[in-house]
Amino acid sequence: MKKILQKSGSLVLALLVLFSTMSFTVDKHFCGTYLVDQAIFSEAQDCGMEHPSEGEMTTEDGCSDQKISVEGQDDLKISFNDLELPQQVFLSTFTYSYVGLFQELPQQLIPFSDYSPPLLVRDIQVLNETFLI
């Protein structure tokens, strides 16, 4: 259960980083007030009508294109030198102690691991009990 939770948490964090840094553009083509085509990552197809010149453009008569750009963040790398001295000390000691948690312990020698336990013929505890009535 713990591994499943850890893997799903890692996946969620990886997707969060991916989608927060991703940039994309939504392109829309309108003919008058009607949306004709909408495209993500590419240009929208036009309806075949000619675009009027900039002076004659009205929203009711001609076609228009609209682009919406969503920019992802680019500044994910934080330099260790930008941190103050107490923050550097905390990070280095935390890292050192955290890595120490995963060091393997020496294998312990169990001298009686090759021997099987004795067979119980009778339940000795029940034979020696005394019941008071």
Side-chain angles (χ1 to χ4, degrees):
M1 180 67 180
K2 183 179 177 183
K3 287 189 177 191
I4 294 172
L5 185 63
Q6 186 178 18
K7 286 183 180 183
S8 63
S10 298
L11 180 68
V12 167
L13 289 176
L15 290 176
L16 178 71
V17 169
L18 174 71
F19 288 123
S20 68
T21 58
M22 188 172 71
S23 308
F24 63 94
T25 302
V26 178
D27 194 19
K28 297 179 182 180
H29 181 77
F30 291 96
C31 280
T33 58
Y34 296 106
L35 176 65
V36 175
D37 191 26
Q38 180 176 0
I40 301 174
F41 301 118
S42 63
E43 292 201 16
Q45 297 177 356
D46 54 355
C47 59
M49 293 177 59
E50 292 183 18
H51 291 278
S53 63
E54 293 296 324
E56 307 172 359
M57 179 119 154
T58 61
T59 56
E60 293 136 6
D61 298 339
C63 296
S64 64
D65 291 323
Q66 180 183 9
K67 287 189 179 192
I68 301 171
S69 296
V70 177
E71 297 294 327
Q73 68 182 37
D74 293 333
D75 53 347
L76 288 179
K77 185 176 180 182
I78 299 173
S79 175
F80 188 73
N81 298 330
D82 293 342
L83 300 174
E84 296 175 7
L85 182 64
Q87 294 171 336
Q88 289 179 0
V89 169
F90 172 75
L91 282 176
S92 60
T93 55
F94 178 76
T95 304
Y96 179 75
S97 63
Y98 189 73
V99 168
L101 291 175
F102 298 107
Q103 292 179 353
E104 292 185 18
L105 297 174
Q107 188 175 6
Q108 295 180 353
L109 179 64
I110 302 172
F112 51 84
S113 63
D114 296 332
Y115 302 106
S116 61
L119 296 174
L120 294 177
V121 178
R122 295 182 187 151
D123 194 3
I124 298 173
Q125 288 82 13
V126 172
L127 290 175
N128 292 333
E129 285 185 22
T130 305
F131 300 102
L132 297 174
I133 297 178

